[in-house]
Amino acid sequence: MNRPLPFGAGHDGRPDPGDLTEIMGKVAHGDKQAFSVLYDALAPLVFGIVVKVVRDRAQSEEVAQEVMIDLWRQAARYRPEAGSVTTWATTIAHRRSVDRVRSAQASAEREQAQAAREHTAAFDEVTEQVETRLESEQVRRCLRGLTELQRQAVTLAYYRGLTYREVAEALRTPLPTIKTRMRDGLIRLRDCMGVTT
């Protein structure tokens, strides 16, 4: 069944550019049939522009639909003196396409940055755990190099938080002896750990 050609359509079935201005005027007044004609006339052109920029067919179809919806919603803003309907439509199509590409790039960059942050955080956490473990092993090795009284005094003072007096009472050793043993023990620990003052 042949549909009658709308308005002043040419032999290819598409409206002439002058007729698109008239059609756009009707679309601006909410004429759905006029929009259907406009859609048929411009959708292939719009899609062609979009797919060249976006390059993904599924996304291009979405963007082309958005452009056609924009044409429907913004029809009242069209001004013939500013350019043809086709030029206006292609401008909207190009802008929407570029926006989609930029949005996709920004999204990909955010995902990459997040992945990099997660990778760095995981790496830093592992590095910190390894360093802590190595330091702990070195401290234990250095503590084994102290005399029994030095090791006990240092352990009670630094790992249990006891004062010199409390260490002396716990070890039943005179306070001056504890102070001397701890000082000597700490010097040996510092030297063993390679700490410079």
Side-chain angles (χ1 to χ4, degrees):
M1 177 175 151
N2 290 339
R3 283 187 356 186
L5 296 177
F7 300 96
H11 41 270
D12 64 353
R14 292 188 178 177
D16 292 326
D19 291 336
L20 285 179
T21 303
E22 184 182 339
I23 293 169
M24 184 59 83
K26 292 183 179 197
V27 171
H29 289 94
D31 186 329
K32 292 180 182 175
Q33 185 178 358
F35 179 70
S36 177
V37 172
L38 185 74
Y39 189 98
D40 290 344
L42 296 178
L45 174 67
V46 165
F47 181 75
I49 291 167
V50 172
V51 82
K52 283 181 185 175
V53 176
V54 176
R55 297 184 185 212
D56 176 84
R57 187 166 183 84
Q59 284 194 41
S60 296
E61 289 172 358
E62 285 179 25
V63 173
Q65 287 298 321
E66 291 169 6
V67 170
M68 297 311 295
I69 291 169
D70 280 351
L71 292 176
W72 169 258
R73 290 181 179 160
Q74 298 179 29
R77 293 179 54 202
Y78 169 69
R79 298 289 172 260
E81 61 275 7
S84 70
V85 173
T86 304
T87 301
W88 191 56
T90 57
T91 301
I92 293 172
H94 188 262
R95 283 187 192 146
R96 278 275 189 170
S97 302
V98 170
D99 288 348
R100 177 62 67 97
V101 170
R102 285 181 181 155
S103 175
Q105 286 174 340
S107 178
E109 287 169 6
R110 281 192 302 273
E111 288 174 11
Q112 288 172 349
Q114 179 63 30
R117 281 193 299 275
E118 289 172 2
H119 177 72
T120 300
F123 175 78
D124 289 347
E125 189 175 305
V126 169
T127 302
E128 190 174 310
Q129 288 175 355
V130 168
E131 287 174 355
T132 301
R133 189 172 295 133
L134 290 174
E135 287 172 2
S136 296
E137 289 174 12
Q138 186 177 10
V139 168
R140 282 194 290 276
R141 181 178 51 78
C142 291
L143 278 171
R144 285 193 297 268
L146 302 179
T147 66
E148 185 65 26
L149 184 58
Q150 287 172 335
R151 184 171 46 257
Q152 288 176 337
V154 168
T155 301
L156 289 172
Y158 287 93
Y159 292 104
R160 296 219 182 137
L162 301 182
T163 64
Y164 283 123
R165 185 170 307 284
E166 291 170 333
V167 171
E169 289 171 5
L171 296 178
R172 296 188 179 126
T173 306
L175 183 58
T177 304
I178 289 298
K179 287 183 177 181
T180 302
R181 295 302 180 262
M182 283 185 63
R183 186 194 74 229
D184 293 345
L186 289 173
I187 290 169
R188 288 178 71 180
L189 275 176
R190 183 192 67 205
D191 293 343
C192 178
M193 298 284 295
V195 177
T196 57
T197 56

